[in-house]
Amino acid sequence: MSLLILQSCERKIRTEYVYETNPVFTWGQAYFWGDCYANYNIENHVLSLQAFTDSLQLNEKGQLTGFGQYLYLDDIFVSPADTIFPEGTYTVSASREAMTIEPGSLFKEDRLEMDRGACIHFIEKAEQLTTRKFIVEGSMMVSYTDHETIRFEFDFTLDDDTELNGYFETEKLIIYDDSVLKESENSKKMMLFYRRVD
């Protein structure tokens, strides 16, 4: 009898779907939002980072296709003197201090529901297995090599207590300037082929 119970438990464990916890992100982009929280007495500048594994692509309509992991780190806070990612460790924290990343959560107000902060989308071949999980703790290390390459290393805890690691390294980080201080749509531009200046 106990042998049957053990076999049954083993079958249940095997059928539980396991998501990739150590992805290598091969492409991505960032956004610079400037002091978009200045009205809330937060002087720090804000960045966002999007990173994708290589099986995900954008089609001609700008829609994401394929399967893999899509990392979205919204509200990354840096000092008012910075417009790009300074080197160092960024901590997942709701303090909104420099070198922090807003934890992921579901924002609800009246009938509106939207994700905010940091999250990871596991986009699977079987649509019913596709899911989004919030990043609630951990850190991101930013470093530069050869004065050109920027590397992001992730050590996150998700809202289901699982871990997410992995990294994103690129020589050509595209940063879109969407700061609220821009006077017109024409002044919105991309900063291509980012190079670190010593």
Side-chain angles (χ1 to χ4, degrees), residues 135-192:
I135 295 165
V136 294
E137 290 179 358
S139 62
M140 172 179 78
M141 174 73 76
V142 175
S143 60
Y144 295 89
T145 58
D146 304 327
H147 307 291
E148 293 180 3
T149 303
I150 184 168
R151 181 181 174 93
F152 300 89
E153 293 184 57
F154 309 113
D155 182 13
F156 294 138
T157 301
L158 306 181
D159 56 2
D160 61 356
D161 293 326
T162 58
E163 291 185 358
L164 177 74
N165 301 116
Y167 69 90
F168 172 42
E169 185 173 285
T170 180
E171 293 179 4
K172 298 176 181 178
L173 180 63
I174 299 171
I175 304 179
Y176 293 93
D177 187 351
D178 276 339
S179 57
V180 294
L181 295 179
K182 293 297 176 185
E183 293 177 5
S184 69
E185 278 297 306
N186 293 333
S187 61
K188 189 187 294 185
K189 62 184 178 186
M190 284 191 303
M191 292 178 276
L192 287 169

Side-chain angles (χ1 to χ4, degrees), residues 1-12 14:
M1 187 64 149
S2 32
L3 203 61
L4 286 171
I5 291 169
L6 281 172
Q7 284 176 343
S8 170
C9 289
E10 194 178 332
R11 236 180 273 119
K12 283 180 185 173
R14 282 181 187 165

Side-chain angles (χ1 to χ4, degrees), residues 118-130:
C119 64
I120 178 81
H121 296 265
F122 296 101
I123 302 170
E124 303 295 320
K125 288 181 181 178
E127 194 176 336
Q128 69 272 18
L129 295 174
T130 291

